[in-house]
Amino acid sequence: QVQFVESGGGLVQTGGSLRLSCAASGSISSAYTMGWFRQAPGTQRELVAVIFMRGTTNYADSVKGRFTISRDNVKNTLYLQMNSLNPEDTAVYFCNARRPLSTTWLDYWGQGTQVTVSS
């Protein structure tokens, strides 16, 4: 019953910015950890950014300083502000969640949103 709907992707040039949104519905609560993933063609899905219940964030080294993850618990929406984009950021971006006391993400993925960065 959990659903994630990602949006906000697009085509930008190197150095550009995008703001991604993830609308979560179902049984997701503000106590869940939320995260953004991405998957480029021919690669495995990788974790990009995480935001915990209290607002603490973690980022992959490849995006640290350029991406900012945030959440609006009232709207049940997750955001990813992406600045200084480069072609290596090209991928389909997904959001997901994990329950309190769990170290594994939910076994559900939305359609994702395509981000393409041209050089």
Side-chain angles (χ1 to χ4, degrees), residues 10-109:
L11 174 63
V12 298
Q13 292 184 328
T14 297
S17 298
L18 286 172
R19 182 176 173 84
L20 307 183
S21 298
C22 168
S25 62
S27 59
I28 302 297
S29 78
S30 60
Y32 282 43
T33 298
M34 301 291 295
W36 283 99
F37 296 75
R38 67 186 182 186
Q39 186 170 24
T43 70
Q44 297 185 20
R45 185 163 25 232
E46 64 175 339
L47 180 63
V48 173
V50 173
I51 184 166
F52 301 95
M53 178 180 64
R54 300 287 293 273
T56 302
T57 58
N58 284 334
Y59 299 92
D61 288 341
S62 59
V63 307
K64 191 173 299 181
R66 300 187 298 119
F67 290 10
T68 302
I69 187 172
S70 61
R71 65 195 298 174
D72 185 330
N73 291 328
V74 174
K75 297 180 179 179
N76 289 324
T77 302
L78 182 72
Y79 303 98
L80 185 67
Q81 178 66 47
M82 306 186 296
N83 298 325
S84 301
L85 288 164
N86 58 65
E88 289 67 43
D89 297 315
T90 295
V92 178
Y93 284 71
F94 303 87
C95 62
N96 210 330
R98 67 188 185 206
R99 298 181 175 90
L101 305 181
S102 176
T103 58
T104 60
W105 299 88
L106 297 179
D107 189 19
Y108 178 86
W109 300 95

